[in-house]
Amino acid sequence: MREADETTRQRLADALRAEPATPSELAVQFELTPETILRHLEHVSRSVDGGDEQFLVAPPTCRDCGFDGFDELLNRPSRCPDCKSEAIDEPTYTIE
């Protein structure tokens, strides 16, 4: 199973090198749940960190008030802490 996880993580990293994506987009592409994608992205971010590449995150944003100061960037927030709206755009990840 560990080998399959590493293969999935490598494929995720390759996909993020090609173009930015949200957890939902990656979940559809890899036929996994968004939560599973986020767990894999934690590992991908650590493996990229410190090398020639950077793991970049466009933070989630509230569509109602524009809040984008979410603390946990490897997460899909369900509600805005400022206005309590549930209209949240997902974070977008990329590797450059």
Side-chain angles (χ1 to χ4, degrees), residues 2 4 6 12 22-23 28 33-34 39 42 47 49-51 61 63 70 76 81-83 88 94:
R2 181 147 173 88
E6 291 172 356
L12 275 170
T22 67
V28 170
T33 66
R39 284 196 306 269
E42 284 183 53
S47 66
D49 191 32
T61 305
R63 290 190 296 263
F70 293 92
R76 292 180 352 155
D82 274 2
C83 71
I88 307 292
T94 190

Side-chain angles (χ1 to χ4, degrees), residues 25-87:
E25 293 167 343
L26 292 168
V28 170
Q29 181 178 349
F30 289 93
E31 298 179 351
L32 298 169
T33 66
E35 292 75 21
T36 302
I37 292 292
L38 289 168
R39 284 196 306 269
H40 284 305
L41 288 177
E42 284 183 53
H43 293 275
V44 170
S45 71
R46 281 187 253 150
S47 66
V48 170
D49 191 32
D52 292 339
E53 299 177 309
Q54 292 182 354
F55 184 84
L56 303 174
V57 181
T61 305
C62 176
R63 290 190 296 263
D64 289 341
C65 74
F67 179 82
D68 66 356
F70 293 92
D71 292 335
E72 183 60 48
L73 296 178
L74 284 171
N75 190 7
R76 292 180 352 155
S78 60
R79 183 177 304 183
C80 175
D82 274 2
C83 71
K84 308 302 182 211
S85 170
E86 294 181 7

